[in-house]
PDB file of all heavy atoms in Angstrom:
ATOM      1  N   LEU K 420       0.835  -1.205   0.000  1.00 98.00           N
ATOM      2  CA  LEU K 420       0.000   0.000   0.000  1.00 98.00           C
ATOM      3  C   LEU K 420       0.868   1.252   0.000  1.00 98.00           C
ATOM      4  O   LEU K 420       0.590   2.220  -0.716  1.00 98.00           O
ATOM      5  CB  LEU K 420      -0.925  -0.017   1.213  1.00 98.00           C
ATOM      6  CG  LEU K 420      -1.837   1.204   1.417  1.00 98.00           C
ATOM      7  CD1 LEU K 420      -2.800   1.367   0.245  1.00 98.00           C
ATOM      8  CD2 LEU K 420      -2.611   1.069   2.722  1.00 98.00           C
ATOM      9  N   HIS K 421       1.919   1.242   0.790  1.00 98.00           N
ATOM     10  CA  HIS K 421       2.779   2.425   0.882  1.00 98.00           C
ATOM     11  C   HIS K 421       3.417   2.751  -0.458  1.00 98.00           C
ATOM     12  O   HIS K 421       3.424   3.913  -0.902  1.00 98.00           O
ATOM     13  CB  HIS K 421       3.849   2.200   1.950  1.00 98.00           C
ATOM     14  CG  HIS K 421       4.821   3.328   2.071  1.00 98.00           C
ATOM     15  ND1 HIS K 421       4.422   4.642   2.193  1.00 98.00           N
ATOM     16  CD2 HIS K 421       6.184   3.360   2.079  1.00 98.00           C
ATOM     17  CE1 HIS K 421       5.490   5.435   2.279  1.00 98.00           C
ATOM     18  NE2 HIS K 421       6.563   4.676   2.199  1.00 98.00           N
ATOM     19  N   PHE K 422       3.960   1.745  -1.129  1.00 97.00           N
ATOM     20  CA  PHE K 422       4.595   1.995  -2.417  1.00 97.00           C
ATOM     21  C   PHE K 422       3.565   2.305  -3.503  1.00 97.00           C
ATOM     22  O   PHE K 422       3.934   2.824  -4.556  1.00 97.00           O
ATOM     23  CB  PHE K 422       5.458   0.801  -2.818  1.00 97.00           C
ATOM     24  CG  PHE K 422       6.817   0.823  -2.174  1.00 97.00           C
ATOM     25  CD1 PHE K 422       7.016   0.241  -0.934  1.00 97.00           C
ATOM     26  CD2 PHE K 422       7.885   1.433  -2.781  1.00 97.00           C
ATOM     27  CE1 PHE K 422       8.254   0.260  -0.317  1.00 97.00           C
ATOM     28  CE2 PHE K 422       9.139   1.469  -2.179  1.00 97.00           C
ATOM     29  CZ  PHE K 422       9.322   0.873  -0.936  1.00 97.00           C
ATOM     30  N   SER K 423       2.310   2.004  -3.246  1.00 98.00           N
ATOM     31  CA  SER K 423       1.242   2.352  -4.188  1.00 98.00           C
ATOM     32  C   SER K 423       0.877   3.830  -4.116  1.00 98.00           C
ATOM     33  O   SER K 423       0.190   4.338  -5.003  1.00 98.00           O
ATOM     34  CB  SER K 423      -0.026   1.529  -3.890  1.00 98.00           C
ATOM     35  OG  SER K 423       0.209   0.151  -3.986  1.00 98.00           O
ATOM     36  N   ARG K 424       1.313   4.523  -3.073  1.00 97.00           N
ATOM     37  CA  ARG K 424       0.870   5.887  -2.824  1.00 97.00           C
ATOM     38  C   ARG K 424       1.997   6.917  -2.918  1.00 97.00           C
ATOM     39  O   ARG K 424       1.786   8.082  -2.598  1.00 97.00           O
ATOM     40  CB  ARG K 424       0.218   5.970  -1.436  1.00 97.00           C
ATOM     41  CG  ARG K 424      -1.081   5.187  -1.297  1.00 97.00           C
ATOM     42  CD  ARG K 424      -1.591   5.220   0.134  1.00 97.00           C
ATOM     43  NE  ARG K 424      -1.794   6.568   0.612  1.00 97.00           N
ATOM     44  CZ  ARG K 424      -2.968   7.211   0.602  1.00 97.00           C
ATOM     45  NH1 ARG K 424      -4.046   6.609   0.128  1.00 97.00           N
ATOM     46  NH2 ARG K 424      -3.058   8.441   1.075  1.00 97.00           N
ATOM     47  N   THR K 425       3.166   6.510  -3.320  1.00 95.00           N
ATOM     48  CA  THR K 425       4.294   7.431  -3.456  1.00 95.00           C
ATOM     49  C   THR K 425       4.830   7.349  -4.869  1.00 95.00           C
ATOM     50  O   THR K 425       4.993   6.247  -5.405  1.00 95.00           O
ATOM     51  CB  THR K 425       5.408   7.095  -2.442  1.00 95.00           C
ATOM     52  OG1 THR K 425       4.883   7.204  -1.117  1.00 95.00           O
ATOM     53  CG2 THR K 425       6.566   8.069  -2.572  1.00 95.00           C
ATOM     54  N   ALA K 426       5.120   8.497  -5.468  1.00 95.00           N
ATOM     55  CA  ALA K 426       5.458   8.553  -6.903  1.00 95.00           C
ATOM     56  C   ALA K 426       6.902   8.155  -7.177  1.00 95.00           C
ATOM     57  O   ALA K 426       7.679   8.902  -7.783  1.00 95.00           O
ATOM     58  CB  ALA K 426       5.170   9.950  -7.448  1.00 95.00           C
ATOM     59  N   TRP K 427       7.256   6.961  -6.699  1.00 93.00           N
ATOM     60  CA  TRP K 427       8.472   6.303  -7.136  1.00 93.00           C
ATOM     61  C   TRP K 427       8.103   5.382  -8.298  1.00 93.00           C
ATOM     62  O   TRP K 427       6.922   5.167  -8.587  1.00 93.00           O
ATOM     63  CB  TRP K 427       9.085   5.504  -5.978  1.00 93.00           C
ATOM     64  CG  TRP K 427       9.466   6.343  -4.797  1.00 93.00           C
ATOM     65  CD1 TRP K 427      10.059   7.568  -4.832  1.00 93.00           C
ATOM     66  CD2 TRP K 427       9.282   6.017  -3.407  1.00 93.00           C
ATOM     67  NE1 TRP K 427      10.258   8.033  -3.545  1.00 93.00           N
ATOM     68  CE2 TRP K 427       9.794   7.107  -2.646  1.00 93.00           C
ATOM     69  CE3 TRP K 427       8.744   4.923  -2.721  1.00 93.00           C
ATOM     70  CZ2 TRP K 427       9.783   7.130  -1.263  1.00 93.00           C
ATOM     71  CZ3 TRP K 427       8.740   4.956  -1.331  1.00 93.00           C
ATOM     72  CH2 TRP K 427       9.251   6.038  -0.615  1.00 93.00           C
ATOM     73  N   ASP K 428       9.108   4.806  -8.949  1.00 89.00           N
ATOM     74  CA  ASP K 428       8.815   3.949 -10.101  1.00 89.00           C
ATOM     75  C   ASP K 428       9.016   2.470  -9.801  1.00 89.00           C
ATOM     76  O   ASP K 428       9.022   1.640 -10.704  1.00 89.00           O
ATOM     77  CB  ASP K 428       9.667   4.357 -11.311  1.00 89.00           C
ATOM     78  CG  ASP K 428      11.159   4.307 -11.022  1.00 89.00           C
ATOM     79  OD1 ASP K 428      11.528   4.097  -9.858  1.00 89.00           O
ATOM     80  OD2 ASP K 428      11.958   4.507 -11.963  1.00 89.00           O
ATOM     81  N   ASN K 429       9.148   2.114  -8.503  1.00 93.00           N
ATOM     82  CA  ASN K 429       9.397   0.720  -8.132  1.00 93.00           C
ATOM     83  C   ASN K 429       8.250  -0.205  -8.513  1.00 93.00           C
ATOM     84  O   ASN K 429       8.452  -1.388  -8.794  1.00 93.00           O
ATOM     85  CB  ASN K 429       9.614   0.615  -6.615  1.00 93.00           C
ATOM     86  CG  ASN K 429      10.449   1.737  -6.066  1.00 93.00           C
ATOM     87  OD1 ASN K 429       9.997   2.875  -6.019  1.00 93.00           O
ATOM     88  ND2 ASN K 429      11.656   1.434  -5.644  1.00 93.00           N
ATOM     89  N   MET K 430       7.019   0.329  -8.490  1.00 96.00           N
ATOM     90  CA  MET K 430       5.838  -0.506  -8.676  1.00 96.00           C
ATOM     91  C   MET K 430       5.808  -1.197 -10.037  1.00 96.00           C
ATOM     92  O   MET K 430       5.219  -2.273 -10.189  1.00 96.00           O
ATOM     93  CB  MET K 430       4.570   0.329  -8.488  1.00 96.00           C
ATOM     94  CG  MET K 430       3.271  -0.458  -8.485  1.00 96.00           C
ATOM     95  SD  MET K 430       3.183  -1.741  -7.198  1.00 96.00           S
ATOM     96  CE  MET K 430       3.115  -0.724  -5.722  1.00 96.00           C
ATOM     97  N   ASN K 431       6.458  -0.598 -11.044  1.00 96.00           N
ATOM     98  CA  ASN K 431       6.378  -1.251 -12.360  1.00 96.00           C
ATOM     99  C   ASN K 431       7.070  -2.612 -12.373  1.00 96.00           C
ATOM    100  O   ASN K 431       6.675  -3.503 -13.132  1.00 96.00           O
ATOM    101  CB  ASN K 431       6.909  -0.346 -13.471  1.00 96.00           C
ATOM    102  CG  ASN K 431       8.363   0.041 -13.319  1.00 96.00           C
ATOM    103  OD1 ASN K 431       9.194  -0.719 -12.810  1.00 96.00           O
ATOM    104  ND2 ASN K 431       8.706   1.238 -13.773  1.00 96.00           N
ATOM    105  N   ALA K 432       8.071  -2.806 -11.503  1.00 97.00           N
ATOM    106  CA  ALA K 432       8.738  -4.112 -11.449  1.00 97.00           C
ATOM    107  C   ALA K 432       7.775  -5.194 -10.993  1.00 97.00           C
ATOM    108  O   ALA K 432       7.784  -6.318 -11.512  1.00 97.00           O
ATOM    109  CB  ALA K 432       9.949  -4.055 -10.528  1.00 97.00           C
ATOM    110  N   ALA K 433       6.913  -4.881 -10.013  1.00 98.00           N
ATOM    111  CA  ALA K 433       5.932  -5.852  -9.534  1.00 98.00           C
ATOM    112  C   ALA K 433       4.924  -6.181 -10.633  1.00 98.00           C
ATOM    113  O   ALA K 433       4.566  -7.350 -10.838  1.00 98.00           O
ATOM    114  CB  ALA K 433       5.210  -5.311  -8.302  1.00 98.00           C
ATOM    115  N   LEU K 434       4.465  -5.166 -11.343  1.00 98.00           N
ATOM    116  CA  LEU K 434       3.510  -5.387 -12.429  1.00 98.00           C
ATOM    117  C   LEU K 434       4.114  -6.259 -13.528  1.00 98.00           C
ATOM    118  O   LEU K 434       3.490  -7.227 -13.986  1.00 98.00           O
ATOM    119  CB  LEU K 434       3.075  -4.042 -13.008  1.00 98.00           C
ATOM    120  CG  LEU K 434       2.205  -4.096 -14.276  1.00 98.00           C
ATOM    121  CD1 LEU K 434       0.907  -4.845 -14.022  1.00 98.00           C
ATOM    122  CD2 LEU K 434       1.920  -2.682 -14.782  1.00 98.00           C
ATOM    123  N   PHE K 435       5.325  -5.945 -13.952  1.00 98.00           N
ATOM    124  CA  PHE K 435       5.951  -6.703 -15.033  1.00 98.00           C
ATOM    125  C   PHE K 435       6.270  -8.133 -14.600  1.00 98.00           C
ATOM    126  O   PHE K 435       6.195  -9.068 -15.410  1.00 98.00           O
ATOM    127  CB  PHE K 435       7.221  -5.995 -15.508  1.00 98.00           C
ATOM    128  CG  PHE K 435       6.991  -4.593 -16.005  1.00 98.00           C
ATOM    129  CD1 PHE K 435       7.992  -3.638 -15.930  1.00 98.00           C
ATOM    130  CD2 PHE K 435       5.766  -4.221 -16.532  1.00 98.00           C
ATOM    131  CE1 PHE K 435       7.784  -2.344 -16.388  1.00 98.00           C
ATOM    132  CE2 PHE K 435       5.544  -2.919 -16.986  1.00 98.00           C
ATOM    133  CZ  PHE K 435       6.554  -1.985 -16.914  1.00 98.00           C
ATOM    134  N   ALA K 436       6.615  -8.323 -13.319  1.00 98.00           N
ATOM    135  CA  ALA K 436       6.902  -9.672 -12.823  1.00 98.00           C
ATOM    136  C   ALA K 436       5.653 -10.534 -12.841  1.00 98.00           C
ATOM    137  O   ALA K 436       5.679 -11.686 -13.308  1.00 98.00           O
ATOM    138  CB  ALA K 436       7.475  -9.597 -11.408  1.00 98.00           C
ATOM    139  N   VAL K 437       4.546 -10.000 -12.339  1.00 98.00           N
ATOM    140  CA  VAL K 437       3.293 -10.765 -12.345  1.00 98.00           C
ATOM    141  C   VAL K 437       2.851 -11.046 -13.774  1.00 98.00           C
ATOM    142  O   VAL K 437       2.424 -12.165 -14.100  1.00 98.00           O
ATOM    143  CB  VAL K 437       2.201 -10.000 -11.577  1.00 98.00           C
ATOM    144  CG1 VAL K 437       0.855 -10.698 -11.713  1.00 98.00           C
ATOM    145  CG2 VAL K 437       2.570  -9.886 -10.099  1.00 98.00           C
ATOM    146  N   GLY K 438       2.958 -10.048 -14.646  1.00 98.00           N
ATOM    147  CA  GLY K 438       2.583 -10.245 -16.045  1.00 98.00           C
ATOM    148  C   GLY K 438       3.439 -11.289 -16.728  1.00 98.00           C
ATOM    149  O   GLY K 438       2.932 -12.135 -17.472  1.00 98.00           O
ATOM    150  N   ALA K 439       4.753 -11.255 -16.471  1.00 98.00           N
ATOM    151  CA  ALA K 439       5.648 -12.236 -17.078  1.00 98.00           C
ATOM    152  C   ALA K 439       5.350 -13.638 -16.577  1.00 98.00           C
ATOM    153  O   ALA K 439       5.367 -14.609 -17.350  1.00 98.00           O
ATOM    154  CB  ALA K 439       7.100 -11.868 -16.792  1.00 98.00           C
ATOM    155  N   CYS K 440       5.070 -13.770 -15.286  1.00 98.00           N
ATOM    156  CA  CYS K 440       4.758 -15.082 -14.721  1.00 98.00           C
ATOM    157  C   CYS K 440       3.486 -15.653 -15.343  1.00 98.00           C
ATOM    158  O   CYS K 440       3.444 -16.821 -15.752  1.00 98.00           O
ATOM    159  CB  CYS K 440       4.615 -14.966 -13.207  1.00 98.00           C
ATOM    160  SG  CYS K 440       4.413 -16.554 -12.364  1.00 98.00           S
ATOM    161  N   TYR K 441       2.462 -14.824 -15.440  1.00 98.00           N
ATOM    162  CA  TYR K 441       1.194 -15.283 -16.005  1.00 98.00           C
ATOM    163  C   TYR K 441       1.349 -15.666 -17.479  1.00 98.00           C
ATOM    164  O   TYR K 441       0.906 -16.750 -17.910  1.00 98.00           O
ATOM    165  CB  TYR K 441       0.134 -14.193 -15.867  1.00 98.00           C
ATOM    166  CG  TYR K 441      -1.218 -14.566 -16.430  1.00 98.00           C
ATOM    167  CD1 TYR K 441      -2.067 -15.412 -15.729  1.00 98.00           C
ATOM    168  CD2 TYR K 441      -1.630 -14.097 -17.667  1.00 98.00           C
ATOM    169  CE1 TYR K 441      -3.305 -15.776 -16.244  1.00 98.00           C
ATOM    170  CE2 TYR K 441      -2.861 -14.440 -18.196  1.00 98.00           C
ATOM    171  CZ  TYR K 441      -3.698 -15.283 -17.475  1.00 98.00           C
ATOM    172  OH  TYR K 441      -4.917 -15.629 -18.001  1.00 98.00           O
ATOM    173  N   ALA K 442       1.973 -14.793 -18.265  1.00 98.00           N
ATOM    174  CA  ALA K 442       2.118 -15.053 -19.700  1.00 98.00           C
ATOM    175  C   ALA K 442       2.960 -16.299 -19.943  1.00 98.00           C
ATOM    176  O   ALA K 442       2.647 -17.115 -20.830  1.00 98.00           O
ATOM    177  CB  ALA K 442       2.749 -13.845 -20.385  1.00 98.00           C
ATOM    178  N   THR K 443       4.028 -16.475 -19.157  1.00 98.00           N
ATOM    179  CA  THR K 443       4.902 -17.632 -19.360  1.00 98.00           C
ATOM    180  C   THR K 443       4.199 -18.926 -18.974  1.00 98.00           C
ATOM    181  O   THR K 443       4.344 -19.954 -19.660  1.00 98.00           O
ATOM    182  CB  THR K 443       6.204 -17.459 -18.561  1.00 98.00           C
ATOM    183  OG1 THR K 443       6.815 -16.218 -18.894  1.00 98.00           O
ATOM    184  CG2 THR K 443       7.175 -18.588 -18.874  1.00 98.00           C
ATOM    185  N   GLN K 444       3.424 -18.899 -17.888  1.00 97.00           N
ATOM    186  CA  GLN K 444       2.653 -20.086 -17.522  1.00 97.00           C
ATOM    187  C   GLN K 444       1.675 -20.460 -18.629  1.00 97.00           C
ATOM    188  O   GLN K 444       1.553 -21.637 -18.987  1.00 97.00           O
ATOM    189  CB  GLN K 444       1.894 -19.841 -16.221  1.00 97.00           C
ATOM    190  CG  GLN K 444       2.698 -20.101 -14.969  1.00 97.00           C
ATOM    191  CD  GLN K 444       1.828 -20.179 -13.724  1.00 97.00           C
ATOM    192  OE1 GLN K 444       0.691 -19.722 -13.718  1.00 97.00           O
ATOM    193  NE2 GLN K 444       2.370 -20.751 -12.665  1.00 97.00           N
ATOM    194  N   ARG K 445       0.969 -19.467 -19.152  1.00 97.00           N
ATOM    195  CA  ARG K 445       0.028 -19.749 -20.230  1.00 97.00           C
ATOM    196  C   ARG K 445       0.756 -20.288 -21.460  1.00 97.00           C
ATOM    197  O   ARG K 445       0.278 -21.217 -22.129  1.00 97.00           O
ATOM    198  CB  ARG K 445      -0.749 -18.484 -20.597  1.00 97.00           C
ATOM    199  CG  ARG K 445      -1.699 -17.944 -19.525  1.00 97.00           C
ATOM    200  CD  ARG K 445      -2.829 -18.917 -19.235  1.00 97.00           C
ATOM    201  NE  ARG K 445      -3.622 -19.245 -20.394  1.00 97.00           N
ATOM    202  CZ  ARG K 445      -4.735 -18.605 -20.755  1.00 97.00           C
ATOM    203  NH1 ARG K 445      -5.175 -17.584 -20.024  1.00 97.00           N
ATOM    204  NH2 ARG K 445      -5.420 -18.985 -21.820  1.00 97.00           N
ATOM    205  N   ALA K 446       1.908 -19.709 -21.748  1.00 97.00           N
ATOM    206  CA  ALA K 446       2.671 -20.148 -22.917  1.00 97.00           C
ATOM    207  C   ALA K 446       3.129 -21.592 -22.777  1.00 97.00           C
ATOM    208  O   ALA K 446       3.068 -22.377 -23.736  1.00 97.00           O
ATOM    209  CB  ALA K 446       3.879 -19.230 -23.108  1.00 97.00           C
ATOM    210  N   LEU K 447       3.568 -21.978 -21.577  1.00 97.00           N
ATOM    211  CA  LEU K 447       4.065 -23.332 -21.356  1.00 97.00           C
ATOM    212  C   LEU K 447       2.954 -24.372 -21.403  1.00 97.00           C
ATOM    213  O   LEU K 447       3.212 -25.557 -21.591  1.00 97.00           O
ATOM    214  CB  LEU K 447       4.788 -23.407 -20.010  1.00 97.00           C
ATOM    215  CG  LEU K 447       6.145 -22.687 -19.956  1.00 97.00           C
ATOM    216  CD1 LEU K 447       6.617 -22.529 -18.521  1.00 97.00           C
ATOM    217  CD2 LEU K 447       7.183 -23.443 -20.781  1.00 97.00           C
ATOM    218  N   GLU K 448       1.711 -23.926 -21.251  1.00 93.00           N
ATOM    219  CA  GLU K 448       0.575 -24.850 -21.319  1.00 93.00           C
ATOM    220  C   GLU K 448       0.088 -25.063 -22.747  1.00 93.00           C
ATOM    221  O   GLU K 448      -0.701 -25.979 -23.008  1.00 93.00           O
ATOM    222  CB  GLU K 448      -0.569 -24.327 -20.455  1.00 93.00           C
ATOM    223  CG  GLU K 448      -0.258 -24.359 -18.965  1.00 93.00           C
ATOM    224  CD  GLU K 448      -1.297 -23.626 -18.140  1.00 93.00           C
ATOM    225  OE1 GLU K 448      -2.212 -23.022 -18.745  1.00 93.00           O
ATOM    226  OE2 GLU K 448      -1.210 -23.651 -16.902  1.00 93.00           O
TER     227      GLU K 448
END
């Protein structure tokens, strides 16, 4: 929540990690 409310750019790493995990799982299936 804290990192969601401060204008740093760290949050994009979490988004890209979740997206990569989901896309790769789907691809492997």
Side-chain angles (χ1 to χ4, degrees):
L420 177 62
H421 177 50
F422 278 88
S423 301
R424 294 175 57 96
T425 300
W427 299 319
D428 58 353
N429 319 70
M430 187 58 68
N431 61 33
L434 173 60
F435 301 152
V437 173
C440 187
Y441 180 77
T443 306
Q444 275 194 342
R445 294 296 302 267
L447 289 166
E448 292 170 356

